[in-house]
Amino acid sequence: MALAEYFSKNLLALSQALNKGSADEFQNILNKTVVGIAFDDAINKREGKLAAEMLTRLLSRLYPKLNLINLTGKKDAADEYIELAKKINSRIEITKVKPTVIVAVSQKPLSKEYLGSRIFYVGSDKWVAKFSDKKPVGCGNSEVPFAAGAVACVAVSNIFRVVFQDFINEAALDGDFSFSLINLDCSDSNAEIKEIDVQDFILVGFGAIGNGAVWALANTPFIKGTVTIVEPETVDLSNLQRYVLAEERHIDKAKTDIPQVYNKNSNLKINVVPKTWAGFLGEKNNWINSSVLISIDNAKDRIGVQSSLPKKIINSYTAENLIGISRHYAFGEEACVACTYMPTEERKNFALEVAENLGIHRINLPPPFTIEYAMGGYLHGNKGADDQLLGWIASENSIDRAELEKFKDIPVREFYSKFVCGGILMKMKKNDSKAGAVEAPLAFQSALAGILLAAEYVVEKGRLRKSKLPNVSQLWPLAPIKKDINPRSFIFTKDNTGRCICSDKEFIAAYQKKYPAPVKQKSLTH
């Protein structure tokens, strides 16, 4: 038994989340760590069962040793979680060794035999996530999955902080809290369950955030409607590091193969479109898109969605140790998606960024050539990784050149995606452990972003929020949940430089033509 086959991507995520440490140190820590998921009859309640499922889906992706502590009295109660863990990581070791840290979905406190292990208790009550480091908090039996999934993500974050505490500055842990997914605050704000027609909407991107969103939507039987998922790519091995619905059997298959199979909600129809957003729009008879949820992993494509002028957009994103939700309901009047990504300083071009992430940016070439110029030639000429490029990478990263031979002649864009973004370089190189500007969130970070995205849409369609929130809400997943601090909501102001498309008269006119304001009826007077 060993670390997952896709562990190189986990190394990349670890290097970005932690302030120090090497690949060897991270592997040694993980190999010595046993994580426990304890559960009793709380899993007989729907919210408890969903929390246990999400915990299994998250923890199996990073930790090579799990102890499924079955306290139900039924011998086979752990079987489904063991089976799921092995589908995610066939190398995982299911052990009875006393865990280093435990997350408990339980009605009763764990017995004295677990003294010495760090224990976190999780539960939920409809829309309210509950967490304690002292005692059980209870699990509801409602049809609401959002709080159960969210608190599982927070618990996994706390486990991460315990395991890697020596590598995190101020690795404070969560104490007791209640967290409402309706108001995104530390409260017990809740809502009664009622059927909500979410109508037709579009989810753009079925990556890590999209996986979290679909997990939540597919487990919400009180909603009805149709979601169209637009996603052109196939599942790569490295995707398993944080795609909560992905299993090893999905590798090399279309990402859009997963949602319909997983869907447990007979009231929610899922359509899949294995195309880019531009390809999807190209085959439509019109560009009238009332509600769009964005879960793409790059700013350029997010802005591309905004430029096609959907009526309403909810944008979910991750950044370094950050999760965000932004709401865009009135184009031209409030900040649009493009406003939130408006550059405030000069940015590096992609060729230089690639060179830096490959570790070859310090190479000096004979004038007038530069490494940036050379890298641009590879990228824009769609060239393959040749002996020259592989030689540069080997020498600058202290890698045996022979280890790179298998990548020869692969188109450089594809090579970069697998070698850098997939974490292979991080695993191979012997020097600097950081990975530049490559985004590699941890699994619980992306899953929580997706759950919050889905919850936000259902809350908005069901009008469950009594007062309007500001247009941006952010949460720091490696910091404790605290009232008025984490998460926080604030107003992101509309760009006032005139550079954004939401200040362009033609874009505004096109938006107003697509979605004319309703005509107000005159009141009759006598």
Side-chain angles (χ1 to χ4, degrees):
M1 300 297 178
L3 295 161
E5 187 179 356
Y6 44 86
F7 182 66
S8 58
K9 188 60 175 277
N10 274 321
L11 279 178
L12 187 60
L14 290 170
S15 75
Q16 293 199 336
L18 304 175
N19 296 304
K20 53 187 175 181
S22 66
D24 287 342
E25 286 176 302
F26 299 153
Q27 291 183 76
N28 289 337
I29 288 171
L30 288 168
N31 283 322
K32 291 188 295 185
T33 298
V34 176
V35 176
I37 304 175
F39 52 89
D40 60 15
D41 288 339
I43 64 165
N44 293 332
K45 296 185 176 181
R46 189 171 186 275
E47 293 174 52
K49 190 172 184 63
L50 287 171
E53 179 196 328
M54 180 56 75
L55 288 166
T56 305
R57 288 186 176 278
L58 291 170
L59 292 168
S60 301
R61 297 176 194 280
L62 177 59
Y63 300 96
K65 298 176 184 177
L66 289 186
N67 183 345
L68 280 299
I69 304 170
N70 177 8
L71 304 173
T72 65
K74 298 178 182 178
K75 290 184 179 180
D76 62 350
D79 289 356
E80 64 178 290
Y81 304 118
I82 293 171
E83 181 182 1
L84 176 59
K86 289 182 176 179
K87 286 180 179 179
I88 292 166
N89 173 16
S90 57
R91 299 177 177 181
I92 200 165
E93 180 180 345
I94 306 299
T95 180
K96 295 296 183 182
V97 174
K98 184 177 178 179
T100 310
V101 58
I102 302 170
V103 56
V105 185
S106 63
Q107 300 175 139
K108 298 178 180 178
L110 299 193
S111 62
K112 292 181 180 179
E113 68 180 287
Y114 297 107
L115 289 176
S117 298
R118 190 69 192 241
I119 302 172
F120 301 113
Y121 293 93
V122 299
S124 58
D125 174 22
K126 289 181 283 205
W127 291 90
V128 178
K130 296 187 175 185
F131 181 97
S132 176
D133 59 351
K134 303 177 185 67
K135 61 185 185 300
V137 291
C139 292
N141 197 35
S142 79
E143 295 182 338
V144 184
F146 306 104
V151 79
C153 295
V154 174
V156 174
S157 170
N158 278 270
I159 289 171
F160 183 85
R161 284 175 256 168
V162 170
V163 173
F164 293 101
Q165 59 187 314
D166 293 339
F167 300 90
I168 304 175
N169 292 336
E170 301 180 7
L173 302 176
D174 279 282
D176 293 11
F177 71 75
S178 292
F179 171 58
S180 169
L181 271 77
I182 291 181
N183 290 336
L184 295 181
D185 62 7
C186 292
S187 73
D188 291 313
S189 299
N190 226 322
E192 293 304 314
I193 308 303
K194 62 177 182 178
E195 183 179 84
I196 297 174
D197 186 355
V198 295
Q199 301 174 333
D200 292 354
F201 66 102
I202 302 169
L203 175 66
V204 188
F206 189 66
I209 295 176
N211 270 243
V214 169
W215 177 89
L217 294 168
N219 281 299
T220 312
F222 62 86
I223 64 173
K224 66 176 184 178
T226 301
V227 55
T228 298
I229 301 175
V230 181
E231 171 57 65
E233 297 181 350
T234 57
V235 177
D236 185 78
L237 173 65
S238 67
N239 294 151
L240 269 67
Q241 175 258 339
R242 66 182 188 275
Y243 284 33
V244 291
L245 294 182
E247 301 168 5
E248 290 182 350
R249 63 192 172 101
H250 296 132
I251 295 171
D252 295 330
K253 295 182 179 179
K255 291 180 182 179
T256 47
D257 285 352
I258 300 174
Q260 290 172 315
V261 174
Y262 180 78
N263 188 17
K264 301 177 181 180
N265 183 1
S266 60
N267 295 318
L268 180 69
K269 182 180 179 182
I270 295 181
N271 295 327
V272 295
V273 179
K275 294 179 179 290
T276 62
W277 178 248
F280 167 69
L281 292 178
E283 68 177 15
K284 284 188 58 142
N285 292 326
N286 63 66
W287 285 20
I288 306 296
N289 300 305
S290 294
S291 298
V292 173
L293 313 187
I294 300 180
S295 61
I296 318 173
D297 63 0
N298 67 84
K300 178 183 176 183
D301 288 343
R302 292 172 192 270
I303 295 171
V305 174
Q306 176 65 87
S307 67
S308 65
L309 300 179
K311 185 175 183 181
K312 292 184 177 182
I313 296 176
I314 303 174
N315 178 37
S316 181
Y317 56 90
T318 58
E320 189 171 342
N321 294 331
L322 178 71
I323 294 168
I325 295 286
S326 59
R327 309 165 183 89
H328 310 276
Y329 298 157
F331 182 82
E333 299 175 23
E334 302 173 351
C336 73
V337 173
C339 287
T340 63
Y341 294 99
M342 190 64 62
T344 57
E345 57 186 20
E346 186 176 350
R347 295 180 178 177
K348 299 170 187 171
N349 67 42
F350 184 57
L352 181 57
E353 182 180 306
V354 169
E356 289 183 351
N357 288 334
L358 286 170
I360 61 175
H361 55 292
R362 295 185 180 89
I363 289 178
N364 292 317
L365 299 178
F369 301 108
T370 63
I371 193 64
E372 180 181 345
Y373 175 86
M375 200 69 247
Y378 281 105
L379 293 167
H380 304 307
N382 198 30
K383 295 181 179 178
D386 56 18
D387 286 326
Q388 174 180 259
L389 178 60
L390 297 178
W392 287 342
I393 295 169
S395 63
E396 294 299 301
N397 294 283
S398 302
I399 297 173
D400 183 346
R401 170 64 181 80
E403 292 186 59
L404 302 178
E405 189 61 29
K406 60 185 175 183
F407 299 106
K408 189 174 180 180
D409 297 328
I410 294 177
V412 167
R413 286 183 180 271
E414 179 184 345
F415 163 70
Y416 177 72
S417 177
K418 292 182 176 180
F419 189 66
V420 176
C421 303
I424 297 173
L425 174 59
M426 176 69 204
K427 188 175 181 179
M428 282 186 173
K429 64 182 181 178
K430 306 296 189 294
N431 50 14
D432 179 18
S433 63
K434 295 299 177 183
V438 180
E439 183 183 358
L442 295 154
F444 60 81
Q445 184 179 2
S446 297
L448 183 52
I451 292 168
L452 293 178
L453 175 64
E456 184 68 29
Y457 184 66
V458 174
V459 167
E460 194 266 335
K461 297 302 289 186
R463 299 181 179 179
L464 304 182
R465 190 172 287 147
K466 293 181 180 179
S467 58
K468 182 180 178 181
L469 283 180
N471 60 354
V472 174
S473 298
Q474 292 183 338
L475 185 148
W476 288 262
L478 288 178
I481 303 293
K482 288 187 178 181
K483 185 177 181 181
D484 301 327
I485 298 175
N486 188 28
R488 72 184 184 99
S489 296
F490 60 94
I491 295 176
F492 190 96
T493 57
K494 186 177 182 296
D495 177 72
N496 60 7
T497 65
R499 296 177 297 160
C500 189
I501 58 173
C502 64
S503 296
D504 186 286
K505 292 181 180 179
E506 293 186 4
F507 270 94
I508 294 172
Y511 180 84
Q512 292 173 343
K513 183 178 180 181
K514 288 173 71 171
Y515 316 107
V519 178
K520 293 183 179 180
Q521 297 292 327
K522 293 183 179 180
S523 59
L524 297 176
T525 58
H526 298 280

